[in-house]
Amino acid sequence: SELASTTASSPTAKEEQVVNGHDEKDSNPFADYMWMENEEDFNRQVEEELQEQEFLDRCFQEMLEEEEQDWFIPARDLPQGMGQLQQQLNGLSVSDGHTSEDILSKSNLNPDAKEFVPGVKY
C-alpha cells in the first residue's frame, strides 16, 4: 500500500507533466509562432518570388509569340488556293497495289532477330 501511494502522488517516467497545455520539456511554447516575428520579410520574399515568376511567364509568352511569327503556317502563309491543294495532298496515300500480307510473305527478314540499336555491338 505504501508503494501504491507513492506512485500515485508522483508521475512516472512514462507520463508527461503538462503545464498550461505545454510540456514541461518544451523550452519555448511559442516556437510554432516564431515565423510571425519576421512576417514582413517573409511577405516581401514571397511577393518577390511571385513577381519573378510573373516576369518569367511574360518572357516565355513573348518568346513563343516571336517563334510563332517565324513558323510556316500553310493556312496563314500560302495563297488561298494553295490551302485547298495542301488539304488534297494530305489526303493522298502511296500504294502500289501490294497488301501488307503480300509483302510479309515475300520478306526475307528474320522476325526473331534482335532489334538494331546504333552504336551497340552484339
Side-chain angles (χ1 to χ4, degrees):
S1 65
E2 289 177 21
L3 183 62
S5 64
T6 57
T7 55
S9 62
S10 64
T12 62
K14 291 181 182 178
E15 294 177 9
E16 294 181 6
Q17 199 169 18
V18 177
V19 179
N20 292 334
H22 295 286
D23 294 342
E24 204 175 76
K25 300 172 190 172
D26 194 4
S27 61
N28 186 359
F30 300 104
D32 291 342
Y33 305 100
M34 291 306 291
W35 66 271
M36 290 181 180
E37 181 180 14
N38 300 322
E39 188 174 3
E40 291 83 19
D41 293 337
F42 177 77
N43 287 344
R44 189 177 325 108
Q45 179 184 358
V46 169
E47 195 170 316
E48 287 174 2
E49 289 174 4
L50 289 173
Q51 288 174 349
E52 184 178 340
Q53 184 62 40
E54 184 180 324
F55 175 73
L56 288 174
D57 289 344
R58 279 188 280 139
C59 287
F60 276 116
Q61 188 62 36
E62 287 180 20
M63 182 185 67
L64 289 174
E65 288 171 1
E66 287 176 8
E67 283 186 358
E68 190 174 290
Q69 291 174 358
D70 295 337
W71 290 343
F72 175 74
I73 302 173
R76 180 189 71 191
D77 299 332
L78 288 177
Q80 195 61 28
M82 293 295 287
Q84 293 171 353
L85 182 61
Q86 183 72 29
Q87 288 176 350
Q88 290 174 353
L89 288 174
N90 289 340
L92 296 178
S93 63
V94 177
S95 176
D96 57 0
H98 294 291
T99 62
S100 59
E101 293 173 2
D102 205 16
I103 294 171
L104 290 176
S105 66
K106 295 179 182 175
S107 173
N108 60 359
L109 297 176
N110 180 2
D112 299 324
K114 291 183 180 179
E115 183 177 347
F116 173 74
V117 180
V120 175
K121 295 182 180 180
Y122 295 101

